[in-house]
Amino acid sequence: METRLLEYFVTVADELSVTRAAERLFVAQSTVSAGLRSLEGELGVALFERTTKSVRLLAAGEVLLPLARALVDDAEELRRAATESGSGLRGRVRIGTFTGMQLLDLPGVLGRFRREHPLVDIQLVSSPVGSTGLADDLGHGRLDLAFLAVPAPPTLDAWPIATFDFVALVPEGHRLASRAAVSLADLAGEEWVDVLPGYGNRLQLDRALADRGLVRHLAAELPDLPSVAPWVAAGFGVAVVPDVIEASGCTRLPLTDPPPPWVVSLAVRRGAARRPLLAALAEALRAPD
């Protein structure tokens, strides 16, 4: 059985599209379709239900996908090990990270890593839907490593690297600014500023508000966390955010009933950390000092 055919199977299963799989694999769409037919013939089962508009994984495909993915990963690791054995670490690594915010000196860490391993091609990627999108991209193989602020699904391995408590931000001079602390209920009737849906801190806060039966009105939804404080300072609304951003012009208040702490993790696909390149890069990012 050719590893190439298994790679077609795994990629189509990830994308649920022969067209997108072909683009990702840099081959013709007809090549992928023919490869799937060949693999299904060899296995004696249908893996997908395919129409002109959709691709759906069948029961046999669901059962065989984890096995096929493991074989593809093992073959890729064998090729990488053979290549790296004579020339040191090399290859491309796609890293998913947050927009507009650095939890560590990422340029410094990655700059040192590239100087030490000049044959490594590092590409940084962000997602318009924050950690939710990064986790999905990582799970589907579009990323090799990512920072996440949502719980990692079972298909990923993750290591916590930072934890931050939630705090309230109100404009200086706001009626609540003189309080020693505030509750989510104290803030619920105000206009709010927050990040877009899909970001880990937004998901946690939405869940905490729902658990308390609180409803808020969002005056602004912004594409990154550091943008929240300037809008609060301008009097556009209040916010509840992880205590990690600069908040000039705002009064920062403790919460009496905060959501659970915001945990940022470094994640890879399950078992991928055995790759020497990913293991070395993950170690550098987890211990930047």
Side-chain angles (χ1 to χ4, degrees):
M1 183 178 299
E2 296 184 46
T3 305
R4 175 177 53 86
L5 301 184
L6 295 175
E7 187 175 3
Y8 293 168
F9 168 38
V10 169
T11 308
V12 172
D14 284 344
E15 299 292 342
L16 291 180
S17 166
V18 174
T19 301
R20 290 196 298 272
E23 292 171 351
R24 184 169 142 193
L25 293 165
F26 301 103
V27 298
Q29 184 175 333
S30 58
T31 301
V32 175
S33 295
L36 290 178
R37 288 194 297 271
S38 176
L39 180 62
E40 288 173 329
E42 186 172 351
L43 294 173
V45 294
L47 302 171
F48 297 98
E49 179 181 79
R50 301 191 290 278
T51 70
T52 57
K53 295 184 178 180
S54 67
V55 174
R56 184 174 67 88
L57 199 61
L58 295 175
E62 294 277 5
V63 171
L64 296 176
L65 180 59
L67 301 175
R69 195 186 300 280
L71 289 171
V72 170
D73 287 346
D74 285 345
E76 185 178 358
E77 178 57 27
L78 180 63
R79 287 191 293 268
R80 285 194 179 97
T83 301
E84 292 168 2
S85 63
S87 58
L89 297 178
R90 65 185 302 159
R92 183 182 68 168
V93 180
R94 299 154 299 180
I95 302 174
T97 187
F98 306 129
T99 59
M101 182 176 61
Q102 301 293 345
L103 298 172
L104 50 84
D105 180 14
L106 193 59
V109 173
L110 295 182
R112 287 193 297 273
F113 192 89
R114 290 187 68 176
R115 288 192 294 274
E116 294 169 3
H117 308 288
L119 298 179
V120 175
D121 176 19
I122 297 174
Q123 299 178 356
L124 295 179
V125 180
S126 61
S127 170
V129 287
S131 289
T132 304
L134 294 174
D136 183 69
D137 287 341
L138 189 58
H140 285 84
R142 293 185 286 269
L143 294 173
D144 300 296
L145 182 151
F147 293 97
L148 301 180
V150 294
T155 54
L156 304 180
D157 290 326
W159 306 271
I161 61 170
T163 302
F164 302 92
D165 291 329
F166 279 83
V167 295
L169 300 181
V170 301
E172 292 179 349
H174 188 276
R175 66 179 183 84
L176 297 173
S178 61
R179 296 272 196 94
V182 293
S183 68
L184 293 176
D186 293 331
L187 299 166
E190 303 287 328
E191 297 287 297
W192 283 69
V193 179
D194 210 337
V195 293
L196 293 166
Y199 283 67
N201 58 295
R202 169 76 182 266
L203 292 171
Q204 281 188 249
L205 179 56
D206 284 346
R207 189 176 302 117
L209 291 168
D211 288 344
R212 293 159 177 78
L214 300 174
V215 178
R216 60 176 175 162
H217 178 260
L218 282 162
E221 293 178 290
L222 304 169
D224 58 68
L225 191 54
S227 297
V228 171
W231 285 86
V232 172
F236 216 69
V238 302
V240 170
V241 296
D243 193 11
V244 66
I245 61 174
E246 173 62 34
S248 298
C250 303
T251 298
R252 193 186 310 254
L253 297 170
L255 288 163
T256 59
D257 56 344
W262 188 64
V263 179
V264 178
S265 299
L266 188 65
V268 299
R269 279 172 54 182
R270 176 61 55 87
R274 64 187 176 181
R275 287 174 48 188
L277 174 53
L278 285 188
L281 187 52
E283 180 61 28
L285 290 169
R286 290 161 57 194
D289 295 334

